[in-house]
Amino acid sequence: MTTTLAGADAGARDSRAGGAGARGGPERGGGRGRRRRGPSAYAALVALAALAAVMLIPFLVVVLNAVKTPQEYSTNGPLALPEGVSLEGITAFWERVNFGQVLFNSALICGSVAILAVLLSVLNAYALGIGRIKGRMWVLVVLLLANTLPQEALVYPLYYLSKQVGLYDTRLAVIIVFTVIQSAFGTYLLSSVLAAFPRPLLEAARIDGAGRWQVLWRVVVPVIRPTLAVLVVFFFVWTWNEFLIPLVFLVSNDNQTVSVALGVLQGQRLMDATMSSAASLLGLLPTVVFFLIFQRTLSRGLTAGAIK
């Protein structure tokens, strides 16, 4: 009996040891697999870092030339390091275009367009994606065509219409135009998102007595909030970079945006190289700061729904 128990105990120990070895084997193998994937991951990281450095070279050149004096630029060239930090070009450009007012105009227009376009897109997409109105497919086709229509084809009709209603050379006209333009893309995108919205959530809200507006603001909007945040960032940056329509609609200096002020002064050839670099730097910094502030929101919105 003692021999039998000892043999059983030894067998149990061997079995546990074998099981531990079996469990340890894949783990060690998995570790070797991860180590084998290490060099390729580092190579990809190095390649991405090199690509980022190449993309940052123009920005660094602009920064270097923005803090040079015109004499340094003409003597040493655009790629030489500055002997010191000179704010002459930045100050001259700021005073020449009244950059504070121009910056306020751009921020007001872009912020208003981003918020209003997202709001209009949500309302339209709620009717198209969840309400399933009649002719939904034709509406989406029209919106798709509107996204591909060049702005040059819209300039004269919009110019004539703004003249007729008395909105020419006003920031409100540009806000209305870009709100409609950006909401065409936002509606097309959100309608496809809401078309796949979970129906049980909508039915549960209706059973609880929620109306259409309550379903929209208390059920739909909280679920798609990451996507809406992405649209806000995109609409702001896209509107900030627009040039043609603000150039046509905003004639007076008090209403011009940053892109228009840069383009007008470049066309007049009133700036030297250092002032041009300072102007480019001042026009670029607000969008960079805005993107850095909302980059976490952007990354969360792009990955929302990827992992359940």
Side-chain angles (χ1 to χ4, degrees):
M1 180 64 69
T2 304
T3 304
T4 303
L5 292 175
D9 186 28
R13 287 196 300 270
D14 293 341
S15 176
R16 288 194 296 271
R23 290 190 299 270
E27 292 178 0
R28 289 192 296 271
R32 287 194 297 270
R34 286 192 294 272
R35 285 195 295 270
R36 283 196 297 269
R37 290 192 296 269
S40 61
Y42 283 119
L45 182 61
V46 170
L48 291 176
L51 180 61
V54 171
M55 296 178 66
L56 286 175
I57 288 176
F59 179 75
L60 295 177
V61 172
V62 168
V63 173
L64 290 178
N65 292 323
V67 296
K68 290 180 182 178
T69 61
Q71 294 76 15
E72 288 182 31
Y73 182 88
S74 59
T75 302
N76 301 327
L79 300 181
L81 294 176
E83 298 176 0
V85 177
S86 174
L87 302 179
E88 179 181 345
I90 297 176
T91 304
F93 173 74
W94 190 290
E95 294 176 352
R96 177 170 294 180
V97 301
N98 191 11
F99 191 76
Q101 180 64 37
V102 170
L103 184 63
F104 173 77
N105 294 336
S106 292
L108 176 63
I109 292 173
C110 297
S112 301
V113 169
I115 296 174
L116 294 177
V118 168
L119 179 62
L120 184 59
S121 300
V122 169
L123 297 176
N124 294 338
Y126 182 65
L128 294 172
I130 294 179
R132 300 299 182 93
I133 62 175
K134 293 182 179 180
R136 170 179 175 272
M137 186 57 64
W138 290 107
V139 174
L140 293 178
V141 170
V142 171
L143 292 175
L144 181 60
L145 293 177
N147 289 322
T148 60
L149 192 66
Q151 291 187 4
E152 291 78 3
L154 302 174
V155 169
Y156 180 74
L158 294 175
Y159 168 80
Y160 180 79
L161 181 61
S162 64
K163 280 282 191 178
Q164 293 297 317
V165 298
L167 291 178
Y168 183 70
D169 196 17
T170 61
R171 292 170 295 193
L172 179 60
V174 178
I175 291 174
I176 294 174
V177 170
F178 280 125
T179 296
V180 176
I181 292 176
Q182 306 291 20
S183 64
F185 173 79
T187 301
Y188 181 79
L189 175 65
L190 290 179
S191 61
S192 61
V193 173
L194 296 184
F197 195 86
R199 296 292 168 176
L201 289 178
L202 302 176
E203 295 174 359
R206 293 191 182 102
I207 291 174
D208 290 338
R212 292 182 179 180
W213 286 103
Q214 292 176 324
V215 170
L216 174 61
W217 298 115
R218 296 186 180 181
V219 179
V220 176
V221 171
V223 173
I224 63 173
R225 186 177 299 169
T227 306
L228 300 182
V230 173
L231 287 180
V232 168
V233 176
F234 282 169
F235 289 166
F236 185 94
V237 176
W238 291 346
T239 308
W240 185 280
N241 295 327
E242 290 291 343
F243 176 74
L244 179 59
I245 291 180
L247 177 65
V248 174
F249 278 76
L250 302 176
V251 182
S252 61
N253 295 331
D254 293 335
N255 294 327
Q256 288 180 350
T257 60
V258 172
S259 59
V260 174
L262 293 176
V264 169
L265 284 183
Q266 289 285 358
Q268 294 176 352
R269 299 181 180 180
L270 296 175
M271 295 190 297
D272 53 33
T274 56
M275 191 182 297
S276 300
S277 299
S280 301
L281 180 62
L282 290 177
L284 181 64
L285 278 180
T287 54
V288 173
V289 172
F290 181 84
F291 181 81
L292 292 177
I293 292 175
F294 291 97
Q295 64 172 342
R296 187 179 299 273
T297 301
L298 184 62
S299 61
R300 287 176 179 176
L302 291 175
T303 57
I307 300 176
K308 294 183 179 180

